Amino acid sequence: MEFAFPWPTSQGEWLAWSSAVVTLALGLIFFLAPGLAFRILRLQVRPEKAAAIAEGRGRMSGFYLGVSLCCILLAQPWLYMALGFSWLFTAFGRLLSMMSDGANTPFNWASIIVELVLAALPLAFVFGFLP
């Protein structure tokens, strides 16, 4: 079996691929510079809880890197669907937090818009809304 890099061929696939690339970039930031990533997300690690950095490098970057690399390297509709639904549930979780935890801030509104766009691009491609 020969392996070839699946380059996007349609506009919809390019948009879905772009969502995967943005997700990959976020995963790399969490993996390589978790302190910077936490500052961007306005999270603070306590000095006595340095293991929290491991959460950024492991748990947070792991999903971002794993799903996005699979989408980029394999370009399968089910993988793009997983990427889209992951971002959709991220946005839903943020919305729940905004409604029930008092996290209704401009930062969260901007974040939810970005998350919904990153969800919509691969899902629109998978469900045939984009050519």
Side-chain angles (χ1 to χ4, degrees):
M1 183 167 93
E2 190 174 316
F3 181 76
F5 182 73
W7 204 247
T9 56
S10 67
Q11 180 184 8
E13 192 173 4
W14 271 108
L15 293 172
W17 185 84
S18 298
S19 177
V21 169
V22 170
T23 305
L24 176 67
L26 292 171
L28 285 173
I29 292 171
F30 270 110
F31 189 71
L32 300 173
L36 173 65
F38 284 142
R39 279 194 300 278
I40 291 170
L41 294 176
R42 300 176 180 193
L43 299 174
Q44 184 177 359
V45 178
R46 295 181 184 170
E48 68 272 9
K49 301 284 185 183
I53 294 292
E55 290 298 311
R57 282 192 204 268
R59 188 180 314 247
M60 296 169 95
S61 75
F63 280 105
Y64 285 174
L65 291 173
V67 174
S68 64
L69 281 173
C70 285
C71 287
I72 291 168
L73 295 176
L74 301 173
Q76 297 295 312
W78 287 105
L79 294 172
Y80 283 126
M81 188 181 296
L83 177 67
F85 277 114
S86 295
W87 279 116
L88 193 61
F89 278 105
T90 300
F92 182 64
R94 187 175 302 276
L95 181 64
L96 284 177
S97 182
M98 290 168 68
M99 292 187 318
S100 61
D101 302 330
N104 193 2
T105 65
F107 177 80
N108 278 333
W109 279 106
S111 295
I112 203 167
I113 290 169
V114 169
E115 292 158 358
L116 287 173
V117 168
L118 290 173
L121 295 176
L123 291 175
F125 168 66
V126 169
F127 291 119
F129 293 113
L130 296 173

